[in-house]
Structure formats: C-alpha cells, structure tokens
Amino acid sequence: AHNDFMRNNAEIEIFQEGSVEPVVVYRQPVSNALYVSINGKTCASSIPEDMQTQILLGLIPVLFSSDPQNAVVIGLGAGITAGSVTLSDAVKRVHIIELEPKVVYSAQAFLQYNHNVMANPKVRLIIDDGRHFIASSREKFGVITSDPIDPWMAGAAALYTAEHFKQCRNHLIDGGV
C-alpha cells in the first residue's frame, strides 16, 4: 500500500522507453526523495537507507583492494555506487557496465548525489551485460562491484551464480576485491 501511494502521488521527472526496459525517475512529493525505477522496479533512491547501501558498495571494495586503480561497476542505476568509486585518488579507471543505455538519464537526475559520475574522465560506460563483460574481458581489475541489483529481478539472477562469482575472482588482481 505504501508503494502504491508513493507511485500514485509521485511526480515523474524522467521517462525513457529503453530498448531493453523502461527507465523512470520520479520524486515523492512529501519527502522530496528521488527514485529510479527500471522495468517497473525501484532500484535506487536518495533516501538515507538506500544512499548508505549505494555508497558503501562503491567505497568498501576500493578501501580494501590492494590496488583499486582499475575498477568495474556492474549497473549504473542512479550512478551513486559508481560515483563513490571515483572519489578515491587511487582509482584511475572505472568501467561502468550497463545493459540499458537509457539508464544514463537516471544518473543525470542524481548529479547532486553521484558526483556527476558520467562527466568524470575516469569513467567509461560500456553497454553490455555485466556477466558477459566479465566473462569475455582479458583484463584484471582491482575492484569488481555492482550497483544494488535485486537477484529476483528478471535477468539479474545470473549475476548471483557461483559461476559468475568465480569469473569475477578470475578477473581480479592479487589483493583485488
């Protein structure tokens, strides 16, 4: 009922019909919080609980990696996780892997939260499936992380398989996270 209230009273700021899935950014008028919905599922927001998760998914692996200069973030969403990765001076390149090109519009709506990640010269956006990118890459990375992607969403379960995690481990440098 709470989600229905939020959606029914939300102000749509961006609607993009993507080639893979629709991307909607909406604002909840009571709290003024921004939300991103991809394929009908809210996947990112500016509420404190979501911000904490999104930021920590970017910062923690960078802090614990022996050499985070070459990083991968699977999924762009609001860009908050990827933006957090770029904050470290030790990070030199951030490959953001995104399946739906129109998600770039959602990141533009969250500039005040994601440190204008898409304008950062460290960032390279790659339109690809995250699992495919990792499996086919010839590179090793100091960090591989992902935007918070719910495993029960269509197509996302493949990112939570033992095989995918093994591929990620095989593409990490020694001491990579």
Side-chain angles (χ1 to χ4, degrees), residues 9 20 30 33 41 59 69 76 84 102 105 133 139 155-156 177:
N9 293 290
V20 179
V30 175
K41 166 71 172 86
L59 291 180
Q69 69 176 308
L76 175 60
S84 297
K102 300 284 181 150
Y105 290 98
F133 175 82
E139 289 186 73
V177 175

Side-chain angles (χ1 to χ4, degrees), residues 120-162:
N120 191 312
K122 297 178 186 182
V123 169
R124 178 175 161 227
L125 178 65
I126 301 165
I127 303 302
D128 196 355
D129 175 79
R131 184 178 167 120
H132 175 261
F133 175 82
I134 296 297
S136 63
S137 178
R138 298 183 192 279
E139 289 186 73
K140 297 261 186 175
F141 305 99
V143 169
I144 301 174
T145 189
S146 78
D147 205 52
I149 302 167
D150 294 326
W152 55 84
M153 293 306 297
L159 295 173
Y160 293 91
T161 63

Side-chain angles (χ1 to χ4, degrees), residues 92-118:
K92 304 300 180 208
R93 288 183 301 181
V94 180
H95 311 274
I96 302 173
I97 317 306
E98 176 55 55
L99 187 61
E100 173 52 61
K102 300 284 181 150
V103 174
V104 171
Y105 290 98
S106 66
Q108 292 302 320
F110 281 79
L111 293 178
Q112 71 187 83
Y113 304 103
N114 68 22
H115 310 283
N116 199 4
V117 66
M118 297 312 298

